Amino acid sequence: MMGRHNVPDGDAAGVTERGPSAPYERFTDEVPNYSMETTVIPAIAVLEEPDPEVPETAAAVRRRRPLGPAVRNYVGVIVILVWGLAPFYWMVVTAFRDSAFTFDTTPWPTHLTLDNFRDALATDKGNDFLAAIGNSMIISAVTTAVALLLGVFTAYALARIQFRGKYVVTGIILAASMFPTVALVTPLFQLFSDIGWIGQYQALIVPNISFVLPLTVYTLTSFLSDLPWELEEAARIDGASRGQAFRLVILPLAAPALFTTAILAFIATWNEFLLASLLSNDSTEPVTVAIARFEGPDAFSQPYAAIMAAGTLVTIPLVIMVLIFQRRIVSGLTAGGVKS
């Protein structure tokens, strides 16, 4: 049998009367609190954080910046604007000035008249300026369309498809853009004379395509290389062929670059003069050649005022088009320039 400890009566009574905490009371002389009273905990002092500093306004930052760099920037911008716009401004001023005061050096418009524009559009002196504008529209539109059609497929292949000799092809295309135009005048003239193309539209369209095609390929390749591959792969997974993915996914995303390339190719073709002056005739000459062939009242006088008026009529539509679509042009030129 196991032994049993004898508990004194007082202890037993204490256990009965005071509960199981009798030993605690015996050694501490404290009576524990079994009630549901809330114990108050002294609060801990919290250090207040200093108020955050208010950032300086943009005006205050600008006031603290040195004025030297800002002045240099503005001076540089003004010099570039004057350098680029002064010839155009003087052309417009001379176009609206009476031909008797063509060489007047007054920097603002004086002796205003519209006779110069009437002389530029008149046909009694052998100048058919409106027909030349139509020729330039045909040549530029066809050249731009063919260059975009060939350039977008070439750029897609160079940007998306891995094949042997890819970088060699890219180098040849870029090298072709650096080839001097004057070196091609004699071979092209001899070739087109042999096949009977002199004085026809194709003699002006085919060389212009070769001139603007490197620009088209280079611009579109840079843009298509920056497009995420996942978009085309997702279309292929959904069952689209490579052609469908290109037509339904790639082309809509490449719209800014296509638009920019089309404008640049159109302007480059519109302004071409060297080959057009040798490969065209009176019925196919573009506007640049027509302006150069303007004739005055006699063989010894040059109609400078009428030439300035014709140049204004040709240039102003291009300037307006560029100003309207300048955001698309800039976005297309800068697309692909920065890796995301």
Side-chain angles (χ1 to χ4, degrees):
M1 292 181 62
M2 296 178 60
R4 183 166 44 174
H5 297 281
N6 295 325
V7 180
D9 294 340
D11 293 341
V15 172
T16 304
E17 296 175 1
R18 293 180 292 179
S21 61
Y24 176 82
E25 296 176 11
R26 184 184 307 159
F27 294 104
T28 62
D29 294 332
E30 296 179 2
V31 179
N33 185 7
Y34 295 103
S35 63
M36 300 298 294
E37 296 180 357
T38 304
T39 303
V40 179
I41 301 175
I44 301 175
V46 180
L47 297 177
E48 296 183 358
E49 296 182 358
D51 295 335
E53 296 182 359
V54 179
E56 294 181 338
T57 61
V61 173
R62 285 196 296 268
R63 283 195 297 268
R64 289 193 300 102
R65 290 178 179 175
L67 295 178
V71 172
R72 288 195 298 268
N73 291 338
Y74 283 112
V75 170
V77 170
I78 293 174
V79 170
I80 293 174
L81 287 177
V82 171
W83 181 269
L85 296 180
F88 177 74
Y89 171 77
W90 194 252
M91 179 182 68
V92 175
V93 170
T94 307
F96 285 96
R97 182 175 290 170
D98 193 300
S99 58
F101 301 90
T102 300
F103 300 101
D104 188 0
T105 57
T106 306
W108 49 81
T110 57
H111 308 91
L112 300 180
T113 181
L114 296 177
D115 293 340
N116 298 323
F117 293 92
R118 298 189 187 96
D119 293 340
L121 298 176
T123 58
D124 55 348
K125 298 177 182 178
N127 305 324
D128 198 350
F129 186 67
L130 293 179
I133 291 179
N135 293 334
S136 292
M137 290 293 298
I138 294 174
I139 296 170
S140 301
V142 175
T143 300
T144 302
V146 176
L148 279 182
L149 182 63
L150 299 177
V152 68
F153 288 109
T154 305
Y156 177 80
L158 294 175
R160 296 289 187 173
I161 301 176
Q162 297 295 331
F163 58 91
R164 183 176 299 177
K166 171 181 176 179
Y167 297 102
V168 176
V169 174
T170 305
I172 293 175
I173 293 175
L174 294 180
S177 64
M178 296 183 290
F179 205 79
T181 306
V182 67
L184 301 175
V185 171
T186 302
L188 288 177
F189 184 84
Q190 184 64 42
L191 174 63
F192 293 158
S193 298
D194 294 341
I195 62 179
W197 277 15
I198 298 296
Q200 300 185 17
Y201 286 117
Q202 58 266 29
L204 304 175
I205 294 175
V206 173
N208 283 322
I209 292 175
S210 65
F211 295 152
V212 301
L213 190 58
L215 172 65
T216 304
V217 173
Y218 182 77
T219 305
L220 294 179
T221 301
S222 177
F223 181 83
L224 295 178
S225 299
D226 197 52
L227 289 180
W229 287 82
E230 291 77 8
L231 297 176
E232 185 177 0
E233 292 175 354
R236 298 292 300 276
I237 292 174
D238 290 339
S241 62
R242 183 179 291 273
Q244 291 174 333
F246 172 76
R247 179 171 55 88
L248 300 176
V249 177
I250 300 300
L251 280 183
L253 294 176
L258 290 172
F259 194 87
T260 302
T261 306
I263 292 178
L264 297 178
F266 186 90
I267 294 176
T269 306
W270 183 277
N271 293 331
E272 203 282 322
F273 172 77
L274 181 59
L275 289 179
S277 62
L278 298 174
L279 304 179
S280 64
N281 55 20
D282 294 339
S283 61
T284 60
E285 64 181 10
V287 67
T288 53
V289 178
I291 293 176
R293 292 179 181 177
F294 268 19
E295 297 180 358
D298 54 69
F300 301 98
S301 62
Q302 191 73 12
Y304 293 107
I307 292 175
M308 292 296 181
T312 302
L313 292 176
V314 172
T315 306
I316 285 181
L318 297 179
V319 173
I320 294 175
M321 181 177 62
V322 171
L323 291 178
I324 293 175
F325 301 109
Q326 60 178 337
R327 291 187 178 180
R328 288 183 175 270
I329 294 175
V330 173
S331 64
L333 288 175
T334 57
V338 179
K339 290 294 183 180
S340 57

